[in-house]
Amino acid sequence: MTTYKAMYKNELARAAGVSLATFRAWLKSDKQAMDAMGITPRQQLLPPVAVRYLCEKYDIDNSQ
């Protein structure tokens, strides 16, 4: 079982292999889910629950 830790948006974008602008567009397209988790657009540090959701949805390997 994978454990997830809090990550900054730029770290997760790098793990996904996309630019920060592209990553922000992904978050914008998932606005409802982010709102439900209490994530604001200006928030830089994403909690583990959000990291898990994004890794599973976008198939991001964050096992660095």
Side-chain angles (χ1 to χ4, degrees):
M1 183 160 130
T2 304
T3 57
Y4 295 90
K5 62 180 178 95
M7 292 180 75
Y8 287 97
K9 288 178 182 176
N10 63 344
E11 291 176 312
L12 208 45
R14 191 174 28 249
V18 298
S19 69
L20 187 54
T22 297
F23 189 76
R24 285 183 180 141
W26 289 358
L27 294 179
K28 192 174 183 181
S29 72
D30 283 328
K31 184 172 178 0
Q32 278 188 319
M34 295 295 107
D35 287 347
M37 288 182 257
I39 308 300
T40 64
R42 297 182 61 86
Q43 189 171 337
Q44 294 302 307
L45 185 63
L46 299 174
V49 66
V51 172
R52 179 180 180 183
Y53 170 80
L54 293 166
C55 285
E56 289 176 356
K57 179 166 185 179
Y58 295 105
D59 197 26
I60 300 169
D61 179 17
N62 73 337
S63 61
Q64 296 90 0

